Amino acid sequence: KIMQIKYKGILIYSKINKDNDLIVKFLSNSDELISGIVYGGQSKKKKSIYQIGYFLDFEVFLRPNRPASINAETSYPFISNIVNDKYKLNCLVCVTSLINLSIIEGQKIKNIYHISNTFILTMINNKKWLIDYVLFLFNLLKLIGYEINYSESKLNQYFDIKTLEFKKINTKNTIEFPYDLINKKKIKIDLSSIENIFKIFELIFSKYHLSNFNLQLPNQYHLFKKLIIDRIKKV
């Protein structure tokens, strides 16, 4: 007996399997990571559909003792208007790679689809979206259990990268926390603030999450980070 389930989701992983098939993973609107095989996924028609970061309407076919097979069609929001924007494209690939490392198949993380969908929509439709990317990083940490409660720590200017606590006094283990950037009070994003954001995120995500699975930050994250830092340096 074949069971058919429909989802809306974001394609976050794709790998060639055999000659003409694809193994894919998508983050569903039910906050789950679902994987399966797209038979003939390397054909010209299907290849144009199964692109990382695309929103798709998925049909998942479940058969006893066989991998799930997947069929999908592109869905709103469409990302065709950002194909020539290297910053947005690299950000999209970066975000999907981080999502892929944040949730495992069979796990359900409430609201992970919502924060991902909200940020990607913002990034696609707006000229200024880098601070929203920063907020996405902190929201992602919160959902996977590593919240940085900066909203209640405004009197403590510094963040201790050893204890992960906010402090009033600057020491060798602290960095200045960029409250103005987080609260969107800065018109111009300075290099120091964005570097501190990256440093905090990388420390927590790597040390307290990825280390549990013997994983490292994805190259897509580092590439996007370099793009952003290089751009800020030029301004």
Side-chain angles (χ1 to χ4, degrees), residues 18-219:
K18 298 182 179 178
D19 293 332
N20 207 38
D21 302 334
L22 290 175
I23 296 175
V24 299
K25 297 180 189 177
F26 66 92
L27 177 67
S28 74
N29 55 355
S30 59
D31 294 320
E32 299 168 280
L33 187 65
I34 297 170
S35 66
I37 297 177
V38 179
Y39 293 103
Q42 280 292 94
S43 67
K44 186 176 180 180
K45 180 182 178 181
K46 289 189 175 182
K47 195 173 182 179
S48 65
I49 294 173
Y50 295 95
Q51 299 291 320
I52 300 299
Y54 274 30
F55 285 80
L56 302 172
D57 290 323
F58 292 89
E59 291 181 306
V60 180
F61 300 91
L62 302 173
R63 298 174 176 85
N65 303 316
R66 291 185 62 183
S69 63
I70 290 175
N71 188 41
E73 294 293 338
T74 53
S75 177
Y76 178 83
F78 305 107
I79 68 169
S80 55
N81 63 330
I82 69 168
V83 293
N84 294 319
D85 189 321
K86 67 177 180 179
Y87 296 100
K88 289 187 176 184
L89 276 181
N90 276 275
C91 181
L92 183 63
V93 176
C94 166
V95 166
T96 53
S97 67
L98 291 175
I99 295 169
N100 188 38
L101 295 178
S102 298
I103 182 171
I104 58 175
E105 194 165 0
Q107 182 183 28
K108 192 167 185 176
I109 300 179
K110 187 177 180 180
N111 290 326
I112 190 170
Y113 178 83
H114 172 71
I115 68 162
S116 304
N117 175 62
T118 299
F119 168 68
I120 293 172
L121 270 174
T122 299
M123 185 264 293
I124 289 173
N125 294 318
N126 293 278
K127 289 184 177 180
K128 295 183 178 180
W129 48 269
L130 185 56
I131 296 175
D132 295 285
Y133 169 73
V134 168
L135 294 174
F136 167 79
L137 294 181
F138 284 147
N139 284 333
L140 185 63
L141 288 177
K142 179 180 178 179
L143 290 185
I144 62 175
Y146 307 106
E147 181 177 9
I148 304 172
N149 200 358
Y150 53 84
S151 61
E152 297 182 5
S153 304
K154 294 178 182 178
L155 297 177
N156 299 317
Q157 188 177 356
Y158 303 98
F159 184 80
D160 192 309
I161 59 175
K162 294 291 186 183
T163 64
L164 306 185
E165 296 175 343
F166 288 91
K167 295 187 175 180
K168 292 182 179 180
I169 300 173
N170 191 15
T171 69
K172 65 178 182 179
N173 293 327
T174 59
I175 57 177
E176 188 172 0
F177 192 83
Y179 287 108
D180 286 347
L181 178 64
I182 294 291
N183 295 323
K184 299 189 177 183
K185 292 181 179 179
K186 281 190 174 182
I187 297 175
K188 182 180 178 181
I189 299 175
D190 63 272
L191 183 61
S192 175
S193 292
I194 200 68
E195 284 184 331
N196 284 352
I197 289 291
F198 284 133
K199 187 180 294 184
I200 293 169
F201 173 77
E202 289 167 19
L203 172 71
I204 296 173
F205 195 68
S206 296
K207 184 176 180 180
Y208 295 95
H209 178 70
L210 295 182
S211 62
N212 293 327
F213 307 97
N214 197 28
L215 296 171
Q216 296 181 335
L217 280 161
N219 288 334

